[in-house]
Amino acid sequence: MKPSDRDLLPDPRRRAALRRALLDETEPELALCRIRAVLERTGALDTAHAMADDHARRARELLTRLPATAVAHVRALALLTRPAH
């Protein structure tokens, strides 16, 4: 299930700040810095990382249910689910 804006940024003021940063027509590098700052300040990055980690954990659990004949494929898929940190 795809998260909504409200899942990642429940505070409407923070969502508005992110929209302003996304719609800012200044230099792309400056806009990227502003977007990252908003995402870090609001905790949205932490929320997204936690959601991704949960999806990866569930994927690893499901990989254990595949038949032994799929071992090479399971190993390759398991590499995609390794925690990033």
Side-chain angles (χ1 to χ4, degrees), residues 18-57:
L18 180 57
R19 277 192 201 95
R20 281 192 302 278
L22 288 169
L23 298 174
D24 189 352
E25 295 184 19
T26 60
E27 293 295 317
E29 293 84 8
L30 179 58
L32 180 60
C33 288
R34 288 181 179 163
I35 291 166
R36 183 175 185 102
V38 169
L39 293 174
E40 287 175 346
R41 188 170 58 247
T42 61
L45 289 178
D46 293 334
T47 301
H49 285 150
M51 292 171 78
D53 288 344
D54 185 55
H55 287 303
R57 180 191 53 75

Side-chain angles (χ1 to χ4, degrees), residues 11 41 53-54 65 71 79:
D11 182 344
R41 188 170 58 247
D53 288 344
D54 185 55
R65 297 181 190 174
V71 70
L79 291 174

Side-chain angles (χ1 to χ4, degrees), residues 3-25:
S4 72
D5 292 346
R6 286 185 179 86
D7 292 332
L8 297 176
L9 289 172
D11 182 344
R13 293 171 294 174
R14 291 179 172 173
R15 283 196 310 274
L18 180 57
R19 277 192 201 95
R20 281 192 302 278
L22 288 169
L23 298 174
D24 189 352
E25 295 184 19

